[in-house]
Amino acid sequence: MTILIACGLQREAKLLARPGIIPVIGGGDAAGLERRLEAALAQGRVRAIVSAGIAGALDPSLGAGALVVDARGWDRAEVVRAALPDARFGAIVGQDSIAASGAQKAALHTATGALAVDMESHVAARVAARHALPFMAIRAVSDTANETLPPAALVGMNPDGSMALGRVLRNLARHPTQLPALIRTGRSANAAFGVLDRVAAAIASLV
């Protein structure tokens, strides 16, 4: 039995892959992620689907690198709680587009009460429900609730989940004043990526 992990980036997939765990990369394309999850399900016996990787915080108290777990779709939440004792448990909302500004995140927090937002959890939850599979989301905060992402950060992902460095550099060249914000965003992202090994270990405990 395997667990499928829905994530957005190749970097996330490399950090999260373990024996019995198969990452499925979305690359910011909700429809494509759904197709790839369905294709992975058709390949063999799948125990559950987990959405994992980095996310934007909606709760202002969450800093970069904080862990958020949405375990409403799985009764094994205590296993993850034991593996990630410092994680916050609550709702994670998914949407097809990036929540780029502090104002957007504040509005989403007010509307949903969720702790964090990503671009894969809603798709993964939908596929899991369709196949009557357990679902859980485990996310590491990259950008905080009050943080507005610079324009270059919004063009940094290719459809295959790789980094679009050329587009980022061209955008930076056109808008050089965003450099300090881009450096800050990179540091926050590194803090989130730095805890994904703990997320992988927690998911591995569910296999």
Side-chain angles (χ1 to χ4, degrees):
M1 297 289 281
T2 61
I3 291 178
L4 299 182
I5 295 185
C7 58
L9 296 167
Q10 290 184 11
R11 184 176 178 183
E12 292 168 323
K14 291 176 181 177
L15 291 168
L16 293 166
R18 295 289 189 281
I21 297 174
I22 301 175
V24 180
I25 300 170
D29 176 7
L33 174 60
E34 189 157 357
R35 288 193 302 271
R36 288 186 279 276
L37 284 170
E38 290 287 355
L41 283 165
Q43 295 301 309
R45 299 174 65 194
V46 174
R47 178 175 185 176
I49 298 176
V50 175
S51 171
I54 64 174
L58 299 181
D59 185 326
S61 69
L62 293 170
L67 290 170
V68 180
V69 179
D70 186 338
R72 292 173 296 169
W74 201 338
D75 59 5
R76 297 192 67 196
E78 291 308 313
V79 175
V80 174
R81 194 182 297 274
L84 301 172
D86 57 335
R88 286 277 301 278
F89 278 67
I92 296 173
V93 64
Q95 61 179 29
D96 291 351
S97 58
I98 297 174
S101 71
Q104 289 173 334
K105 286 181 273 190
L108 195 55
H109 185 47
T110 299
T112 67
L115 298 177
V117 58
D118 63 42
M119 296 177 65
E120 294 81 35
S121 288
H122 60 312
V123 178
R126 182 166 62 240
V127 174
R130 185 183 302 143
H131 292 270
L133 290 170
F135 169 77
M136 186 181 297
I138 309 176
R139 292 280 167 165
V141 169
S142 177
D143 50 294
T144 62
N146 297 321
E147 183 178 346
T148 293
L149 296 173
L154 305 180
V155 298
M157 181 167 56
N158 289 315
D160 65 355
S162 61
M163 296 306 298
L165 183 58
R167 286 203 302 271
V168 171
L169 293 176
R170 287 192 294 272
N171 190 282
L172 181 60
R174 289 194 297 269
H175 309 285
T177 57
Q178 68 179 303
L179 180 58
L182 189 61
I183 292 172
R184 179 201 63 208
T185 298
R187 288 174 176 166
S188 296
N190 282 335
F193 285 122
V195 298
L196 289 187
D197 58 332
R198 296 178 58 211
V199 173
I203 297 171
S205 70
L206 299 168
V207 174

